[in-house]
Amino acid sequence: MTKLKIFLVLAACLLLVSCQGIGKEEEKNSIRIGVSLYRGDDTFINNIRSIMEEKAKEYERQSGIKIILDIQEAKGSQNIQNNQVERFISLDCDVLCINPVDRMDASGVIDKAMTAGVPVVFFNRQPVEEDMNRWDHLYYVGVDAKETAILQGKMVVDLYREHPESVDLNGDGVVSYVMLEGETSHQDSLIRTEWSVQTLKDGKVPIEKITGGIANWERSQASALMEQWIAEYPSDIELVISNNDDMALGAIDALERAQVTGVNVIGIDGTTPGLEALESGRLLGTVSVDKELYVSAILELTVSCALGQEPPEEYPLSDGTYYWTPQEILIHRIEENQ
């Protein structure tokens, strides 16, 4: 009799576990995703947000699973973002999608997520490796910053080889440039700055730095810096290297106000305003990520986390954690103006 009771208890436990597993897959007809953006006025992030909302609706139509996106802006404050994560968890979000304010201080987000057992997909601003290695349910979707910088430098190298006179504007054998950098401690900013210049050197472009400055990814700050540089070096600047399109557009604004023509300006991101400036020839070139693919990777990975499924095979993960989105050079060819 005792053995029979034990058998019945074990059988009931197995049945309960089995039913819970089935229920999780069959009854999941909606997914709540908590999305925190480091800032709401970043042009690239706004592009990503719009596409994410479109992709979520598309997924709903195709799968029949309702996607609830709770999108918040952290306004550049890590404390605000940490509070948003707490709120997402209290609202029983199935997964978190985080664009970190401070990539060096993602531990607070990770601590809260790990305690609650909620997976996290980071994007755009890569947390440090030590943090990403803390848990098996942390992922990152972004671009390889070194590849970005090399592509940015390559567009000038290629143009210099084809039409040196279009880069060395005064024909003195040296390309004089200024550098617009993003944030002081941001990994992408540091890498983009270093490797874009290194690529120019490796490509045998004779460059000389005039000056540079931090514009925090912002168009207005870059415009103010460029205005100052034009006043200080009125006839010396031949090339503006910018860590992103917004700052590149700020430099163009200042050049146009000063009625300075011919200076080449290059950016990164392929934002909508950047592509418009590229089309008109105001921006020489940019490095663009396929934003549709970028957001699809974020959403598909996020949904698979929410459903407890394996990461989608069409977005292969490096080290089981990172998805690197392909990039391409977009340049306004000099032949178009001839």
Side-chain angles (χ1 to χ4, degrees), residues 153 156-158 160-161 197-206:
V156 178
V157 171
D158 291 346
Y160 183 79
R161 288 173 179 171
V197 172
Q198 187 60 51
T199 302
L200 290 171
K201 292 177 179 177
D202 293 343
K204 309 302 181 186
V205 178

Side-chain angles (χ1 to χ4, degrees), residues 51 59 90 141 147 168 222 290 314:
I51 298 171
Y59 183 87
S90 71
V141 176
E147 178 189 42
D168 179 11
D290 183 333
E314 58 267 39

Side-chain angles (χ1 to χ4, degrees), residues 88-129:
F88 291 151
I89 291 171
S90 71
L91 292 173
D92 293 326
C93 284
D94 298 289
V95 59
L96 305 179
C97 196
I98 308 295
N99 169 217
V101 171
D102 186 351
R103 61 172 295 271
M104 304 293 291
D105 191 22
S107 56
V109 171
I110 294 171
D111 287 341
K112 298 176 194 303
M114 288 177 64
T115 300
V118 180
V120 185
V121 176
F122 292 101
F123 68 98
N124 179 250
R125 297 157 73 89
Q126 181 184 350
V128 297
E129 187 176 357

Side-chain angles (χ1 to χ4, degrees), residues 155-331:
M155 73 174 77
V156 178
V157 171
D158 291 346
L159 183 58
Y160 183 79
R161 288 173 179 171
E162 295 173 13
H163 303 282
E165 74 285 352
S166 69
V167 182
D168 179 11
L169 302 178
N170 60 13
D172 66 351
V174 178
V175 178
S176 301
Y177 75 95
V178 295
M179 173 68 73
L180 286 166
E181 302 179 44
E183 297 170 50
T184 305
S185 60
H186 194 294
Q187 181 190 32
D188 283 8
S189 180
L190 298 173
I191 293 174
R192 289 176 185 184
T193 298
E194 176 186 358
W195 283 97
S196 59
V197 172
Q198 187 60 51
T199 302
L200 290 171
K201 292 177 179 177
D202 293 343
K204 309 302 181 186
V205 178
I207 56 172
E208 179 180 60
K209 183 177 181 179
I210 299 174
T211 188
I214 305 293
N216 294 304
W217 310 113
E218 294 186 12
R219 183 169 182 164
S220 59
Q221 290 189 35
S223 183
L225 277 177
M226 192 68 196
E227 192 170 277
Q228 176 185 329
W229 296 340
I230 293 169
E232 293 177 4
Y233 313 98
S235 58
D236 297 336
I237 302 171
E238 297 173 294
L239 173 66
V240 179
I241 304 173
S242 174
N243 282 173
N244 77 341
D245 284 352
D246 267 9
M247 294 189 296
L249 292 172
I252 291 170
D253 292 339
L255 288 165
E256 290 179 343
R257 283 197 302 271
Q259 297 183 333
V260 175
T261 60
V263 176
N264 291 309
V265 183
I266 55 174
I268 288 172
D269 282 342
T271 61
T272 301
L275 295 178
E276 291 171 356
L278 182 73
E279 181 68 23
S280 67
R282 297 162 65 231
L283 182 69
L284 172 65
T286 186
V287 179
S288 180
V289 64
D290 183 333
K291 296 176 192 63
E292 295 284 331
L293 179 61
Y294 188 104
V295 177
S296 291
I298 294 171
L299 192 63
E300 292 287 345
L301 184 55
T302 301
V303 168
S304 68
C305 287
L307 296 176
Q309 300 172 347
E310 291 295 316
E313 293 182 0
E314 58 267 39
Y315 306 104
L317 300 178
S318 173
D319 299 324
T321 303
Y322 303 92
Y323 177 73
W324 303 112
T325 315
Q327 306 171 84
E328 64 176 336
I329 293 172
L330 300 177
I331 189 165

Side-chain angles (χ1 to χ4, degrees), residues 54 62 154 171 205:
E54 293 170 5
Q62 293 177 351
K154 187 176 183 299
V205 178

